[in-house]
Amino acid sequence: MSDAEGTTHDTGAPTRDPEPTPETGATRERVGDGKFGDYGGQYVPEALMPAIRELEDAYERYVLGNEDGFRDEFRRRIREFGGRPTPLQRADELSQRYDTDVYLKREDLLHGGAHKLNNALGQVLLAKYMGKERIVAETGAGQHGTATAMAAAHLGMPCEIYMGERDIVRQRPNVFRMKINGAEINEVTTGRGTLKEAISETMRDWATTVENTHYVIGSIVGPHPFPTMVRDFQALISEEAREQVLDQVGRLPDAVLACAGGGSNTMGAFHHFVDDDGVGLYAVEAGGSSLAVDEEEGVAPNSASLSTGTEGVLHGARTKLLQDGDGQIVESHSVSSGLDYAGVGPELAHLVDEERVQPVNVDDDAALEGFHRLSQREGIIPALETAHAFGYLEEHADELGDLVVVNVSGRGDKDLEAALEETEQRDIDNAPPMDELTGGL
Amino acid sequence: MGRHPSQSHDSERDASQSHDSERDASGEEPSETRLLADGSGSDLRAAFDGEPAFVPYLAVGDPDYESSLAYVEALERGGADAIELGLPFSEPIAEGSTIQEAVVRSLDAGMTPERFFEFVADLDVDVPLVCMTYYNLLYQYGGDEAESGPRPFVERAAAVGLSGFVVPDLPAEEAGPLREACDEFGLDLVSIVAPTTEDERLEKLVDISSGYLYVQARLGVTGADVAPSDQTAESLERLGEYDIPKAVGFGISDGEQAAEIVSAGADGIIVGSALVEIVAEGYEHDRPTDDVAANLEALASELKAGARRGGEQAVPRPDGS
Ligand SMILES: Cc1ncc(COP(=O)(O)O)c(C=O)c1O
């Protein structure tokens, strides 16, 4: 592939000079064959291999090579349809609270209400360039499903979304949005009915329909080239943020924080900072209710695969996983559907091993507090996924330096019902009086 | 390593130890028959000598350990020439709902890789046995970081008398370390050939395979509800020139289909979901183990007879086989 030499992929015209990166060894190497150290790869059934090869080829030609003007069209559509660039906003109240400059990268303002459209629009457009006739996708929080349904409607592609039965209940507003955009929803009832099962079921669909269908995977997970390609589409976040922070503050941040499920908003927010040694990168995972794994039950009451997982193979890639000693994947758990996954992107796993990215986590309660804090103090209702990053900021602001960028991966409209219910069940100190709120539901 | 008679294979794989270069591991050379470490022929391959082979599949431990032993033994009585034993994995992405449910029943009843090996050791059958599972279970076995990779699993498999592996989520590109371990311990690695497999990949697949080739009869996942497609005959034709037995699976559920597939040129048939449905039905209706075993044996006999019939109708091949 074209850039095994430690340069970074851009999904469009470079906005900063491709300055020669210091040769710092394996850490900075972008591996062109889909391996990040030992992670990554293509562990998929043979029936899918030709489609994956076809996708690799399309990725190189259109996304990297701008063949037929793909990148130009993607840039135009993500601007006009998506509303990019998103602002980098100083959070005045939080800055005062922590005595640190806190800036928010406002992906919640992207069309659809989350960073997910960057990738969904890119992949649906790519599918069109490839001549595919049908789109399938999995979704956890429903944000990727919604973004994919929107992109498919926008570009005139039939679209089916797989979603776990549990998530269908937890994220009802997004189910409506997908249906209103014309997508068909396929309920997945196996396992705990969350993201892991939805991905497995979408792969099964794809194994059947691979000849005319493209699978729009929703994070930097799955077989090569998905992790690299999704990262490239999401890297718009850090491409803009880096330029904005230099422009608005005149220097690079000391830390960038992003929540991490599969890790697409995370790598999107980190990518253009990876070579900036002074910028700390913090992937905030869902600590759930506990970091322990219950081997007996096959359950981990968390989704902290970067912090606590071990190496294994799931959904097409070798990466860090929540698994038992035999290699059976355990059921993860988080108050936020979008982080509720037993795996994580191979690139993040690698950057954690290389100690370039710090894996950290906060529990469900801290995330709910973060949800209420950002809503009350900044007038931004964040997604429960995003709220984890603010939970971490609250606990560790004094260790993060003087200038912190937090990626606001999405807005919380989809979570109102779940957040209020969860808040009521727990004792969340900073929540508004619940009886007033839930009485009206 | 180094006991494998095919020198060129070995040197290439040795050069590809690092994961980064696995993609090129299988090389360009013409296919040839792999032999076992002791120089004898593979017993899996031998299962295809003579008449068309019947290769049934069951998920081990479904719905419980003891019944499952009886069910596998019933398949041999019904005429199985080799048996694929499914070791349940929590994310069986190549499996349709019938086998997914079998996997859940088995895991709920306590199946683990260690129990699986005990099961194989406890089985009273004479035909060769193939372990069908997903890569993570092979990869994790033996646990400690010092030896992560498939070797400890393969070593144990050889010790309990398994003959080979089918690993649906392990394409040729990633199969280097498993192939190497199989060569070391004299086991076969069976590759799946899909209807979408392009000609240029065939060579690569055949090259890393031994025992037999698993020819996928249609796209999609396992299941008896969707019959084999006419892509099967096409696949068999493309594979004709390669000197390795071709067993067709995915969607075969009765003797009629078995006969058809064999007469189209298959050397054997693989049947899973149709048999697993009998186990599921017995479980749901709480039937005695012996009754379920008898039903399994009956369908096995029908499938074996169908394969035989197909063999009699088959157009003779150019090489006279
Ligand atoms: C708002 C939001 N943030 C984060 C995530 C987690 O995904 P990822 O880790 O790929 O960014 C999701 C997933 O649905 C989401 O909706």
Side-chain angles (χ1 to χ4, degrees):
Chain A
M1 235 169 256
S2 59
D3 77 319
E5 290 304 318
T7 56
T8 53
H9 295 313
D10 277 341
T11 44
T15 52
R16 64 170 163 129
D17 284 337
E19 2 169 0
T21 46
E23 198 46 73
T24 47
T27 317
R28 303 300 148 80
E29 207 172 301
R30 302 296 191 284
V31 190
D33 62 356
K35 302 273 170 148
F36 303 96
D38 280 347
Y39 298 115
Q42 299 181 312
Y43 296 85
V44 293
E46 170 60 24
L48 292 178
M49 281 307 292
I52 282 181
R53 282 299 154 81
E54 186 189 347
L55 185 62
E56 265 181 64
D57 179 59
Y59 165 62
E60 282 183 38
R61 282 167 44 205
Y62 299 119
V63 183
L64 300 181
N66 197 25
E67 194 173 312
D68 298 342
F70 173 86
R71 287 203 318 210
D72 305 331
E73 181 172 353
F74 170 64
R75 290 274 170 161
R76 177 177 64 75
R77 288 185 188 275
I78 198 68
R79 195 173 65 236
E80 294 173 2
F81 177 68
R84 298 212 76 88
T86 60
L88 182 75
Q89 178 217 333
R90 185 169 190 276
D92 293 336
E93 282 284 316
L94 291 188
S95 295
Q96 196 176 6
R97 178 179 178 87
Y98 303 127
D99 196 16
T100 293
D101 271 327
V102 178
Y103 279 76
L104 309 177
K105 180 59 176 164
R106 297 290 308 276
E107 290 302 295
D108 59 309
L109 294 176
L110 189 67
H111 181 43
H115 68 293
K116 296 288 181 185
L117 187 71
N118 298 323
N119 168 48
L121 184 67
Q123 284 201 55
V124 176
L125 187 63
L126 186 62
K128 273 203 100 140
Y129 274 62
M130 293 169 73
K132 299 289 175 185
E133 292 159 8
R134 174 177 173 265
I135 295 296
V136 291
E138 89 292 344
T139 197
Q143 285 299 120
H144 173 60
T146 298
T148 305
M150 285 171 168
H154 175 62
L155 294 167
M157 288 276 247
C159 168
E160 285 180 44
I161 306 288
Y162 288 84
M163 188 168 187
E165 59 181 342
R166 184 182 163 85
D167 288 337
I168 285 181
V169 175
R170 288 199 281 185
Q171 304 286 331
R172 234 165 19 130
N174 276 339
V175 175
F176 295 140
R177 293 208 290 171
M178 288 184 269
K179 285 188 173 167
I180 287 171
N181 276 130
E184 206 173 297
I185 311 289
N186 299 319
E187 181 173 4
V188 180
T189 56
T190 46
R192 264 185 76 249
T194 61
L195 185 55
K196 170 166 72 70
E197 291 77 26
I199 294 177
S200 292
E201 204 53 33
T202 317
M203 286 193 160
R204 293 186 185 107
D205 179 310
W206 202 30
T208 313
T209 58
V210 59
E211 286 163 315
N212 71 350
T213 296
H214 176 66
Y215 175 11
V216 178
I217 209 162
S219 192
I220 54 165
V221 300
H224 177 64
F226 283 114
T228 310
M229 182 175 73
V230 175
R231 191 269 326 272
D232 283 353
F233 287 130
Q234 291 293 358
L236 286 171
I237 300 171
S238 50
E239 181 189 310
E240 288 172 8
R242 191 176 187 281
E243 205 184 344
Q244 288 164 324
V245 74
L246 287 175
D247 197 39
Q248 291 168 225
V249 190
R251 73 171 182 98
L252 290 172
D254 298 312
V256 179
L257 266 60
C259 67
S264 67
N265 92 93
T266 333
M267 272 320 298
F270 293 172
H271 183 65
H272 288 276
F273 292 108
V274 168
D275 293 329
D276 298 320
D277 287 322
V279 181
L281 305 174
Y282 295 82
V284 187
E285 298 191 285
S289 54
S290 154
L291 285 185
V293 170
D294 183 343
E295 290 239 355
E296 204 48 31
E297 291 292 315
V299 175
N302 64 72
S303 309
S305 32
L306 285 174
S307 312
T308 69
T310 52
E311 186 182 340
V313 175
L314 175 66
H315 291 148
R318 187 187 298 192
T319 185
K320 288 186 189 287
L321 302 175
L322 301 178
Q323 58 187 330
D324 68 13
D326 289 333
Q328 303 288 2
I329 311 305
V330 301
E331 300 292 344
S332 58
H333 185 85
S334 167
V335 67
S336 65
S337 300
L339 303 185
D340 200 344
Y341 181 53
V344 66
E347 183 173 17
L348 262 183
H350 176 61
L351 290 174
V352 164
D353 281 2
E354 298 286 322
E355 297 182 359
R356 179 64 190 98
V357 168
Q358 308 304 315
V360 297
N361 60 80
V362 296
D363 65 15
D364 287 341
D365 287 4
L368 284 163
E369 284 165 20
F371 173 88
H372 291 296
R373 191 176 312 109
L374 197 70
S375 302
Q376 289 164 27
R377 298 193 177 249
E378 296 292 341
I380 298 168
I381 302 177
L384 280 177
E385 292 79 14
T386 313
H388 286 74
F390 290 96
Y392 187 76
L393 181 65
E394 172 79 5
E395 292 172 9
H396 297 274
D398 54 344
E399 302 153 27
L400 297 173
D402 300 326
L403 177 56
V404 179
V405 172
V406 185
N407 192 37
V408 185
S409 59
R411 68 179 189 226
D413 307 37
K414 68 185 177 66
D415 292 316
L416 293 186
E417 245 179 283
L420 295 185
E421 199 176 295
E422 294 282 351
T423 300
E424 196 171 22
Q425 282 167 17
R426 301 152 198 255
D427 233 350
I428 303 299
D429 284 345
N430 64 347
M434 274 300 121
D435 40 357
E436 279 173 32
L437 273 168
T438 49
L441 282 182
Chain B
M1 282 301 295
R3 287 185 295 153
H4 192 287
S6 158
Q7 298 281 336
S8 49
H9 278 102
D10 285 352
S11 51
E12 271 204 45
R13 283 203 186 81
D14 289 343
S16 71
Q17 290 280 353
S18 98
H19 300 301
D20 295 2
S21 52
E22 269 167 35
R23 165 159 304 177
D24 302 313
S26 51
E28 300 284 294
E29 344 154 25
S31 61
E32 58 190 282
T33 313
R34 276 174 187 278
L35 299 177
L36 293 185
D38 65 5
S40 68
S42 138
D43 56 347
L44 268 184
R45 191 183 169 102
F48 290 80
D49 287 349
E51 53 180 33
F54 165 51
V55 184
Y57 163 99
L58 282 180
V60 161
D62 171 28
D64 62 74
Y65 190 93
E66 291 300 327
S67 316
S68 188
L69 281 173
Y71 297 163
V72 173
E73 287 164 8
L75 296 175
E76 188 190 36
R77 286 196 301 278
D81 298 290
I83 300 175
E84 290 186 356
L85 298 174
L87 164 57
F89 176 53
S90 55
E91 298 305 305
I93 57 168
E95 249 62 76
S97 57
T98 303
I99 294 178
Q100 283 180 50
E101 283 159 23
V103 163
V104 171
R105 284 191 298 270
S106 168
L107 289 175
D108 285 351
M111 186 46 61
T112 64
E114 209 47 67
R115 287 285 280 164
F116 174 82
F117 289 130
E118 285 165 27
F119 182 96
V120 175
D122 281 351
L123 266 181
D124 184 12
V125 296
D126 290 327
V127 295
L129 302 170
V130 181
C131 170
M132 172 145 176
T133 194
Y134 290 79
Y135 193 54
N136 200 45
L137 295 187
L138 271 76
Y139 186 78
Q140 298 301 334
Y141 187 78
D144 73 61
E145 294 284 323
E147 206 183 354
S148 79
R151 190 178 177 279
F153 191 100
V154 176
E155 183 173 18
R156 182 89 166 91
V160 295
L162 283 159
S163 297
F165 297 99
V166 184
V167 188
D169 63 344
L170 191 69
E173 283 73 2
E174 309 287 357
L178 179 56
R179 178 72 256 179
E180 212 170 276
C182 284
D183 286 345
E184 183 181 348
F185 294 103
L187 269 67
D188 283 315
L189 177 59
V190 174
S191 293
I192 298 177
V193 177
T196 44
T197 303
E198 297 128 340
D199 287 343
E200 67 222 44
R201 284 184 62 76
L202 274 185
E203 184 103 6
K204 197 175 210 171
L205 286 176
V206 173
D207 188 54
I208 64 151
S209 303
S210 57
Y212 57 94
L213 277 182
Y214 189 138
V215 181
Q216 203 179 309
R218 53 165 174 74
L219 281 175
V221 292
T222 57
D225 45 345
V226 184
S229 73
D230 43 11
Q231 288 161 317
T232 311
E234 226 172 275
S235 299
L236 287 169
E237 194 169 332
R238 291 197 290 150
L239 287 165
E241 61 181 283
Y242 294 105
D243 176 28
I244 182 167
K246 293 109 204 160
V248 173
F250 272 50
I252 301 174
S253 57
D254 60 26
E256 205 45 50
Q257 286 168 336
E260 243 171 71
I261 296 278
V262 171
S263 69
D267 301 302
I269 53 155
I270 303 168
V271 180
S273 297
L275 295 161
V276 172
E277 276 173 10
I278 293 176
V279 175
E281 198 266 351
Y283 176 75
E284 274 150 33
H285 295 92
D286 218 1
R287 297 196 198 290
T289 304
D290 288 351
D291 293 3
V292 178
N295 291 342
L296 284 168
E297 185 179 336
L299 180 57
S301 305
E302 176 190 333
L303 290 160
K304 175 66 188 178
R308 257 195 208 116
R309 225 168 36 247
E312 285 151 16
Q313 296 157 8
V315 212
R317 306 241 194 80
D319 63 1
S321 67

